[in-house]
Amino acid sequence: MHDQSPLRAETWPMSRTCPFSPPPDYAGLREHPGLPRVTGPSGRTVFVAARHEDVRAVLGDARFSSDRSHPDFPWMRVGETVFPGFRPSLIEMDPPEHGPARRAVAGEFAMRRMRELRPKVQRIVDGLLDDALAGAGPADLVSALAVPMSGLVLCELLGIPTGDRQEFTTNTTVLMAHDSADADRAESFRSLIAYFDALCAVKMTERPEDLLGRLAGHQLFSGDESRWAMVELCMLLVVAGLETTATMTALGILALLEHPDQLALLTADPGLTPAAVEELLRYFSVAELSLIRRATADVEIGGTLVRAGEGVAALSAAANRDPAVFADPDTFDITRDSRRHLAFGSGPHQCLGRNLARLELCIVLDTLFRRIPALRLATPSEELRYVNGSAFSVSELPVTW
């Protein structure tokens, strides 16, 4: 049994120094006996799971709670909190409430629904590329493609009327932008809540054939609080889904442009696109800072005893570079089998929208490099501005052709 003292307080969260590599200290965390501890800016100390098997063990064990409303939940960053007035969302629920709530929504992200959504996503991507190509160039593929695509796809999923989409995308863009003022971000958040409240009222009356219309007839969305439950679901999809998809889109394009040998393989054989998407997800693992859990009982993980009430941070980016699972893990290789990656988490809280994210990434990569085969960066990658926020991202991606 291992008992570790904390690492340096300033090492959490750890920042990337290279866009194509996780924080350098992650390798040391994997090699550390048992589970090391880190202390974050909030003053809280947690254990860290960095090896692939330990991350899977934490995320799959029901003795680790996701309930962020608990007073002892190990918030690791200053200012983190549960949104006031919101009950625990799907990603914050524990059994027995979590299972039925997730099953009520899961069918909307099944492969059958994704096949229905595919032509709409294709039209969105084609339209955005039409607009980009109509300009004089260079074009910023963050603001011209990645961000509006993720917002417009969510509009299709939720059945947001065409006339409302400009205001919706404006508000979501403010929420996602790293340079937005706190007051502007808060105002956009309030505007989205008010909008979704009105939209869900219409959906509950008209019951259209879209995600919200179908959920309006589900038993979990009936009763006095049904509309608020739907509003909360809409906000979860915005907060948990838009930034990560936009980030992966931009970083995926950047990685392929910076690895011309891999891009050549992809353009020569578009059938490699699904494998390329899985490798990109493994390679970047952008959404790991949400994988924090609180032990509800004593649990042994990786030879370390985690006592009830203590926290564990599961580092998917470290796990996805574990040489015990992925040979030569720091090499970007779209021909490898990356399906064991943990970019979407694991266990009962595995990302609900993973099929949608894969669909969007496949379509945008296929379409972009087919329509603009001469695409290249307009700014050297070392001069791009990278941001370490809730997800690692690139602020702009100027390209020309």
Side-chain angles (χ1 to χ4, degrees):
M1 197 76 67
H2 304 282
D3 183 18
Q4 286 76 36
S5 59
L7 299 176
R8 300 188 312 276
E10 66 270 25
T11 57
W12 180 267
M14 299 168 183
S15 296
R16 301 186 187 217
T17 57
C18 169
F20 302 127
S21 301
D25 288 339
Y26 277 15
L29 293 176
R30 277 195 307 269
E31 295 161 4
H32 199 282
L35 303 187
R37 295 178 187 261
V38 294
T39 304
S42 69
R44 288 297 298 262
T45 298
V46 298
F47 289 102
V48 171
R51 289 180 289 274
H52 192 277
E53 63 175 333
D54 293 342
V55 170
R56 281 183 56 88
V58 170
L59 298 181
D61 196 316
R63 293 171 292 180
F64 286 105
S65 170
S66 301
D67 183 4
R68 301 182 186 186
S69 66
H70 193 283
D72 291 333
F73 188 82
W75 295 109
M76 288 300 290
R77 289 175 291 179
V78 176
E80 287 183 306
T81 185
V82 176
F83 291 118
F86 275 63
R87 299 166 301 180
S89 67
L90 275 174
I91 61 173
E92 300 163 337
M93 287 182 182
D94 291 333
E97 292 81 12
H98 176 255
R102 183 179 172 98
R103 287 192 292 273
V105 182
E108 296 298 326
F109 297 91
M111 292 307 299
R112 179 171 67 89
R113 295 292 185 207
M114 296 304 101
R115 286 192 291 271
E116 295 171 357
L117 194 60
R118 173 177 284 275
K120 297 178 181 179
V121 177
Q122 185 67 62
R123 284 196 295 272
I124 288 169
V125 172
D126 279 327
L128 292 171
L129 289 181
D130 287 343
D131 293 341
L133 289 167
D140 169 26
L141 291 188
V142 172
S143 61
L145 178 63
V147 170
M149 178 196 70
S150 61
L152 290 170
V153 170
L154 186 57
C155 286
E156 289 289 349
L157 190 70
L158 297 178
I160 293 177
T162 302
D164 296 346
R165 294 185 179 186
Q166 182 58 57
E167 182 178 358
F168 174 81
T169 53
T170 297
N171 281 316
T172 55
T173 299
V174 171
L175 275 184
M176 287 189 286
H178 295 283
D179 56 356
S180 293
D182 289 344
D184 293 337
R185 188 175 283 112
E187 180 57 34
S188 290
F189 191 86
R190 286 190 292 268
S191 296
L192 285 169
I193 290 175
Y195 175 75
F196 282 135
D197 189 39
L199 179 69
C200 291
V202 172
K203 302 289 185 180
M204 294 180 73
T205 300
E206 298 181 356
R207 303 286 179 86
E209 188 57 26
D210 56 35
L211 183 151
L212 294 178
R214 288 187 290 268
L215 289 183
H218 194 282
Q219 60 180 358
L220 286 182
F221 294 90
S222 60
D224 294 338
E225 296 185 347
S226 57
R227 192 166 82 201
W228 188 237
M230 293 174 67
V231 171
E232 290 172 326
L233 174 63
C234 291
M235 290 305 299
L236 171 64
L237 294 175
V238 168
V239 172
L242 291 190
E243 182 181 13
T244 51
T245 302
T247 293
M248 275 306 308
T249 300
L251 290 177
I253 295 168
L254 174 61
L256 287 164
L257 291 176
E258 286 293 278
H259 293 83
D261 58 327
Q262 299 298 300
L263 179 56
L265 289 173
L266 183 64
T267 53
D269 181 8
L272 283 173
T273 303
V277 166
E278 298 305 319
E279 175 66 348
L280 287 165
L281 290 163
R282 180 198 73 84
Y283 196 63
F284 287 110
S285 308
V286 297
E288 68 170 349
L289 294 183
S290 63
L291 301 178
I292 298 180
R293 302 288 189 264
R294 179 184 62 85
T296 59
D298 291 357
V299 189
E300 183 180 341
I301 299 290
T304 295
L305 180 63
V306 181
R307 298 194 179 277
E310 293 183 315
V312 178
L315 303 184
S316 58
N320 285 341
R321 298 294 182 101
D322 190 339
V325 178
F326 304 103
D328 195 14
D330 294 328
T331 296
F332 177 58
D333 178 5
I334 67 171
T335 66
R336 81 161 80 234
D337 184 354
S338 301
R339 289 176 294 179
R340 295 181 66 190
H341 72 76
L342 302 176
F344 292 123
S346 183
H349 282 284
Q350 188 178 34
C351 177
L352 192 66
R354 60 191 184 278
N355 290 333
L356 177 59
R358 286 172 169 132
L359 173 67
E360 292 178 74
L361 290 167
C362 281
I363 288 177
V364 76
L365 294 181
D366 267 342
T367 307
L368 178 67
F369 293 110
R370 172 175 47 81
R371 292 191 57 181
I372 317 178
L375 191 75
R376 63 185 186 275
L377 289 176
T379 301
S381 62
E382 60 270 16
E383 296 179 15
L384 297 175
R385 187 164 68 92
Y386 300 96
V387 181
N388 280 283
S390 57
F392 173 78
S393 61
V394 59
S395 297
E396 295 179 340
L397 188 63
V399 295
T400 188
W401 48 87

